[in-house]
Each structure stands twice: as structure tokens, then as C-alpha cells.
Amino acid sequence: MRRWIVFGLPVLVAAVAIAWWMRPASPAAKYVTAPVKVGELEQRVLAIGRVQPKTLVSVGAQVSGLVKRLHVSLGQQVKAGELIAEVDAEPQQTALRTAQAAVAALKAQLAARRASLAQAESTYRRQEALMALDATARAELEAARAALDSARAEVGALGAQIEQARTQVDTARINLGYTRIVAPMDGVVVAVVTRQGQTLNSFQTTPTIVMLAQMDVMTVRAEIAEADVGKVKPGMPVWFTTLGDTQTRHESKIAQVEPAPESITQDAGSALTAAAGGQGANRAVYYNAVFDVPNPDGRLRPSMTAQVTVLTARESKALLVPTAALGAVDAAGKTQVRVLDAKGDVAQRDVHIGLRTNTTAAVLSGLSEGEKVVVGETGSDPAAANEGESGER
């Protein structure tokens, strides 16, 4: 008896252990599940943008010449009408004096012609009186009339020449004023393009001397991918951070989504290449979403990189499930999920889905809070379940 206990008991224990290990698993142990939770779901579009001043003006010179003096420096705050630079005005002053002298000369000629006109009028009246007395020849009267008409025409022509010369005086005076470049608005000098002593040539293009910007309001142009541009509308909330300050969130609303990408301005050859399926056809397309943001403290600077988030949709107090639990969703948002009950049985359930993201979906009908939906089976990657339980806020 003792020998049986010594040798038989271990064999019995081993048999019981093997039987327990080989027992059929419960149905619930075959599935990875996630509970239906109540929470907030947001749909967002991410983009990269560039910060620029809302108002940026290139201040240039409209005359050619040497920059004699530059009155501003980089970063300086200027007021509208404040002197920016002076261009050598000697050529313009000479042109003004020449135009004024031309007007004076024409006025002198006009005075002489008027005297001739008075004499021609007197001669004609005398010949007319003599003709009435039949004391002169008709040829003399006609000659006097021709001389009078010629004198009047010369006076009229000189009057027109004087008006033209006065226009040249006005032009020369305006060009002289262009040698003093003043600020067109209040702003900050954000770039000094032309240095003191540099010679300007305005015959082909207007040379830029400085660039002025109003920094109290900045504009962000965010590049929205082609796949997301249909989701972004004017008025949607938007916020961004900069690379140098990821903790400060600047908030605004979308003002405009530009109807065409910037690439539309490229030459026709590139467009034809893309249409023909060439290399340009595979290029990524981005549309600019534009919005303004206040900058009272000046922390935002031109050309900063903005990490932009656009809130395209939000549902509060929604029933949330992982998208991994969903079957194929039709255009009306209807699909099926597998639900695990308290007994470990799995059943198909028709549900109606609303807002969706890559990881989470909002259930409009068909489920209740606390129910467990199947997101996978034992042995599959449970990451989907973990993501589904975390949700998006």
C-alpha cells in the first residue's frame, strides 16, 4: 500500500496537470476585445506652413542714380512718410532747370508772336477801311488777312508748346521728388537690399532698397495635401506651433483655401508632361490654406516653419470603438461588428458609424457603452486593440 502511494501519487498528479493543460479553451479566450467607451473624437488634418507678415512691401526707387544716404537700418521701426534713403538728385535737378528754361523761352517767343499778331490785326483793319473807300487793291487786303491768320496760328502753336513744356517741368519735378524715398506705411525694416553708395538702375526694373513689414498680424500659408484638401473649409478652427516653441499654441480660423496649387503657375511644358504621364504626373500636389494670427508680442517672425493642425470635425460624448473592429463600411456608414457577450458567445451586430479616424470610430447606433467588440483573435497582433482603447481626443 505504501509502495502504491509512493509511486502512484506522482503519476496521478502528472495526469491531472496534463489534463488541465489540454483542456478546451473558453470561447472568450479566443478573442481580443475592446470595450465601447464614451468620449470625444476629433478629425484633424496636419500640414506644414510658413509664417509671413500679412503686409509686406518692397520699397524701391523710381529713378536711377547713386544712393547718397540710407537713413534706416535692419530691424528699425519706421512711420509712414519717414525718409528711407536719398538718391543723388543732381541729374533730376538739372532736368528740372532745363524744362523750366524751355518754358521761359517759349513764353518769350509767345510774347513776340503776340506783338506780331497785334500788328497784323492793325494792318488788316487799316486795309479793310481803305477797301471800303476803294483806296487800296483787294490783293493788299487779302495779304493782310493771310498775315493775320498766320500770326494767330503761331500764337496758338506756341501756347500748345508751352503747355507741353510745363508738363515736362511737372515730370522733372516729380522725378526730383523720387530721389527722396519715404516709407509708404508704418512698419519694421525686415530687409536692407541696397547699401549706401550703391548705384541704382531703374530703366528695366524698379530696384528695391528696403522691405517693410507690419508684424502685428502674421499670415500662415499651410500646405494641405491633395488627399485632405476636400476636408478643409473656411471657418474651421486651426492652430499651430513653431519649431522653436512647441509649447505655445497659436489659434485662428481658416480664412481661405486657394482654389489651385502654386504649381499652376509653372510653364505649359511641365503641365503637358504631367498630362502625358511623365515625371511631373507623380509629383505631390498641395493646396494653400491661408489664415491670419495676431502677433502683438512679436514672437512670430517671417519665414518661421509652422506645424499646423486643422480641426475638420468633432463629436462629443460619442460611443467610441476601434476601427479594427469594423467590417466594410458602406457609403451610408453602415457596417457590422462582432460583439462578445458575458457568456463568451460572439454575435454579429449591425451598427451605424459616424466620424472616423485611422484608429477610432464613433458609433451612432447599434452598440451600448460597456459592451465588448472583437478586434482580433488570440495569436494576432493586439496592438489594434490597444490603439482602439486609447481613442482620439
Side-chain angles (χ1 to χ4, degrees):
M1 185 65 177
R2 181 177 298 176
R3 179 179 299 177
W4 181 87
I5 294 175
V6 173
F7 293 102
L9 187 57
V11 174
L12 180 60
V13 172
V16 171
I18 292 172
W20 181 85
W21 179 262
M22 297 297 293
R23 80 191 192 286
S26 65
K30 296 180 181 180
Y31 302 101
V32 178
T33 62
V36 179
K37 295 183 177 181
V38 175
E40 183 178 86
L41 183 63
E42 293 182 347
Q43 187 179 67
R44 304 173 181 178
V45 170
L46 305 181
I48 296 296
R50 193 69 64 183
V51 180
Q52 295 293 353
K54 180 175 177 60
T55 305
L56 180 65
V57 176
S58 297
V59 182
Q62 295 179 262
V63 294
S64 300
L66 181 72
V67 179
K68 294 184 64 175
R69 187 173 180 185
L70 192 63
H71 293 269
V72 296
S73 58
L74 188 64
Q76 180 177 337
Q77 182 80 36
V78 297
K79 298 292 184 180
E82 187 174 339
L83 188 61
I84 297 291
E86 292 179 83
V87 178
D88 182 16
E90 187 62 32
Q92 285 72 31
Q93 290 173 346
T94 300
L96 177 59
R97 289 194 296 267
T98 300
Q100 290 172 336
V103 172
L106 289 172
K107 285 183 177 180
Q109 294 180 36
L110 178 62
R113 293 294 186 273
R114 282 176 175 170
S116 299
L117 174 61
Q119 183 179 3
E121 288 175 345
S122 177
T123 301
Y124 176 73
R125 285 194 298 270
R126 184 169 60 254
Q127 289 294 327
E128 197 174 32
L130 292 173
M131 189 67 187
L133 298 173
D134 199 17
T136 186
R138 180 165 294 276
E140 294 293 332
L141 178 62
E142 292 177 352
R145 178 177 294 174
L148 176 60
D149 292 341
S150 176
R152 286 174 176 172
E154 289 178 356
V155 169
L158 282 172
Q161 292 179 34
I162 290 174
E163 289 301 318
Q164 183 179 9
R166 283 173 176 168
T167 301
Q168 294 176 351
V169 169
D170 294 339
T171 301
R173 186 175 288 113
I174 291 172
N175 288 335
L176 179 60
Y178 287 155
T179 61
R180 291 174 56 85
I181 294 93
V182 298
M185 65 178 188
D186 296 350
V188 179
V189 179
V190 294
V192 178
V193 182
T194 303
R195 303 295 176 180
Q196 186 169 304
Q198 187 173 340
T199 300
L200 303 177
N201 183 0
S202 65
F203 292 109
Q204 295 181 347
T205 58
T206 301
T208 299
I209 296 178
V210 299
M211 297 184 71
L212 288 181
Q214 291 182 339
M215 307 279 285
D216 54 341
V217 177
M218 307 296 281
T219 297
V220 179
R221 299 171 65 86
E223 294 184 336
I224 307 297
E226 179 181 2
D228 295 326
V229 70
K231 305 173 186 176
V232 180
K233 307 293 182 184
M236 286 183 171
V238 60
W239 61 87
F240 71 94
T241 60
T242 60
L243 295 180
D245 184 5
T246 58
Q247 301 302 316
T248 302
R249 195 166 95 163
H250 306 272
E251 299 184 357
S252 184
K253 290 188 176 182
I254 298 293
Q256 178 190 17
V257 180
E258 294 180 352
E262 291 183 354
S263 59
I264 198 173
T265 58
Q266 294 179 353
D267 61 353
S270 298
L272 290 175
T273 301
Q279 184 177 1
N282 296 324
R283 184 178 54 197
V285 178
Y286 295 92
Y287 296 80
N288 286 324
V290 184
F291 58 92
D292 297 335
V293 60
N295 187 35
D297 53 5
R299 299 177 67 177
L300 297 175
R301 300 191 177 190
S303 298
M304 278 186 167
T305 300
Q307 298 172 315
V308 180
T309 301
V310 182
L311 180 61
T312 58
R314 173 190 287 154
E315 289 193 13
S316 301
K317 297 181 179 180
L319 293 176
L320 305 180
V321 297
T323 53
L326 305 179
V329 183
D330 63 17
K334 295 180 180 180
T335 185
Q336 288 187 331
V337 297
R338 292 184 294 173
V339 181
L340 186 68
D341 61 19
K343 297 180 180 180
D345 296 327
V346 175
Q348 293 281 356
R349 186 84 59 84
D350 292 328
V351 295
H352 189 195
I353 299 299
L355 183 63
R356 280 184 294 167
T357 67
N358 291 334
T359 59
T360 310
V363 179
L364 302 181
S365 63
L367 290 174
S368 301
E369 182 181 4
E371 289 188 297
K372 293 184 178 181
V373 295
V374 176
V375 297
E377 298 184 3
T378 303
S380 63
D381 186 4
N386 295 332
E387 292 181 359
E389 292 183 4
S390 63
E392 292 193 8
R393 302 185 78 75

